[in-house]
Amino acid sequence: MSVINVLHVIETLEPGGAEGLLVHILKNLDRNRFSPKVVCLFNQMALKTELDKAGIPVFCIHMKSPYGWWNAIISLYKLIKREKANIVHTHLFFANIYGRIAARMAGVRTIFTTLHNPDYTYEDSGRLTYKIRKIIDRYSGRICNTDFVAVSNFVKKDFEKQLGFKNIKVLYNCIEPSIFRPMSKDEANCKRLELGFKEDDIVLINIGRLHPQKGQLCLIEAFKLLNKSAENCKLIILGKGHMEPELKRKVEEYNLGDRVIFLKDRADVPSILVACNIFVFPSIYEGFGIYIKLCLM
């Protein structure tokens, strides 16, 4: 049996749900059957090191703007032809559009897109740009794709309703349970001290990109009320995103500056989780949150 060349196209390899999921899946792929490669649109590749260690080639087409569509499609087309991809698998909006069109131009017979989020039911801004985005996604998907993979039935129904996609299979998000090893009480206490918490503090943690979808503004509002009756409560907000300045302003407005800690990218998320008391995830909507899955295990 010949090895199948699979080229994954994604916007970046910065720490995030879709990006981390892709890295985890590729590291555990059967290399006797599949030869995976990854191409990023933008030169943001913090997770590239993990793929390098696993021997998975990573390419980048170095886009300066997400709207440089012609150069992106041509660059991807050349890469797909050069790497002789049998399957092209795309992730996230701009990678979906440019990757699927380039793959179709290159004559690839099997083109997949993973649908990570219910993008259209909850993100209708009413703007012309949103309507154009939806039209491009709908028709490029219908014309180019052979199949779609949704991370939950909820996401599947969203794309069936909003874009009319038919050939959607459901494959739930996975995690790597081995990295969430048990920790002793002493180890957990050391991590709490490292983060600046006392032994009797009640520490809440939220993990996710700083985006309206994730509900961190609601979380800060709720935490303000909680602190009126529980002064030993502390909150960690772990993630990056464009809402960081707004969230920090809200924390200062409520005089919570000494009780809310903002952490960005961390390599020690499993140990931080063990060191905290309560995981809080006030997301407005989700496809199938990876950390939700972790808490259900």
Side-chain angles (χ1 to χ4, degrees):
M1 181 184 296
S2 59
V3 176
I4 300 170
N5 292 321
V6 185
L7 186 69
H8 288 264
V9 185
I10 194 164
E11 293 180 1
T12 75
L13 279 174
E14 288 297 289
E19 296 84 355
L21 182 69
L22 176 61
V23 170
H24 168 60
I25 289 173
L26 296 189
K27 285 165 59 178
N28 290 278
L29 206 61
D30 185 351
R31 301 296 180 83
N32 293 319
R33 297 181 59 197
F34 301 100
S35 175
K37 301 177 178 68
V38 177
V39 56
C40 294
L41 301 188
F42 304 98
N43 190 25
Q44 297 166 285
M45 299 187 290
L47 298 177
K48 180 179 181 294
T49 304
E50 288 191 51
L51 293 175
D52 290 340
K53 290 178 181 177
I56 298 170
V58 178
F59 308 99
C60 183
I61 64 170
H62 303 287
M63 289 185 69
K64 304 298 182 184
S65 162
Y67 301 105
W69 62 272
W70 180 247
N71 287 334
I73 291 171
I74 294 302
S75 297
L76 288 169
Y77 167 82
K78 292 178 179 178
L79 191 57
I80 291 166
K81 295 290 283 186
R82 188 186 77 202
E83 298 301 321
K84 300 179 180 179
N86 305 113
I87 296 172
V88 171
H89 192 152
T90 70
H91 308 261
L92 305 178
F93 178 76
F94 289 105
N96 292 342
I97 305 304
Y98 303 147
R100 63 175 59 137
I101 293 173
R104 182 66 182 264
M105 289 171 56
V108 177
R109 294 186 178 182
T110 305
I111 304 170
F112 284 92
T113 291
T114 291
L115 309 172
H116 291 275
N117 213 30
D119 287 338
Y120 294 103
T121 298
Y122 296 91
E123 295 196 6
D124 187 351
S125 63
R127 296 179 181 176
L128 179 61
T129 51
Y130 168 85
K131 295 175 182 178
I132 293 172
R133 174 187 175 114
K134 188 174 179 180
I135 290 169
I136 293 172
D137 203 357
R138 175 190 290 124
Y139 288 105
S140 65
R142 288 183 180 182
I143 293 168
C144 299
N145 277 63
T146 51
D147 288 282
F148 300 89
V149 177
V151 300
S152 69
N153 279 303
F154 181 56
V155 173
K156 176 183 177 181
K157 291 176 182 177
D158 180 75
F159 278 86
E160 287 175 339
K161 177 182 177 181
Q162 296 291 337
L163 300 190
F165 292 165
K166 302 297 183 184
N167 46 334
I168 303 176
K169 300 175 178 64
V170 174
L171 182 63
Y172 293 111
N173 285 338
C174 59
I175 63 169
E176 193 168 356
S178 62
I179 68 174
F180 297 96
R181 65 176 181 83
M183 288 177 61
S184 69
K185 187 175 180 179
D186 287 342
E187 287 179 302
N189 285 336
C190 283
K191 180 59 67 173
R192 287 170 71 92
L193 289 172
E194 176 190 324
L195 294 168
F197 300 124
K198 300 175 183 176
E199 187 173 349
D200 61 344
D201 282 338
I202 299 173
V203 184
L204 291 71
I205 183 169
N206 168 258
I207 303 175
R209 61 194 173 102
L210 307 184
H211 183 277
Q213 174 192 351
K214 301 300 182 180
Q216 284 102 351
L217 275 176
C218 297
L219 173 58
I220 291 170
E221 293 277 354
F223 189 70
K224 177 190 70 170
L225 299 176
L226 176 64
N227 265 266
K228 290 181 180 179
S229 57
E231 294 185 357
N232 64 330
C233 283
K234 303 292 175 66
L235 171 64
I236 294 174
I237 296 178
L238 198 159
K240 294 197 306 184
H242 72 274
M243 283 193 68
E244 182 177 346
E246 182 179 357
L247 295 172
K248 287 184 173 179
R249 282 195 300 269
K250 190 62 67 174
V251 166
E252 291 302 315
E253 178 185 334
Y254 293 152
N255 296 314
L256 298 172
D258 61 337
R259 298 184 186 179
V260 179
I261 295 177
F262 286 87
L263 300 179
K264 295 186 179 181
D265 296 335
R266 295 284 297 224
D268 56 347
V269 171
S271 59
I272 292 176
L273 279 169
V274 174
C276 295
N277 301 99
I278 302 171
F279 178 77
V280 187
F281 201 69
S283 195
I284 310 302
Y285 61 93
E286 280 293 329
F288 185 25
I290 293 173
Y291 282 100
I292 291 176
K293 180 176 177 65
L294 169 65
C295 293
L296 291 174
M297 289 183 64

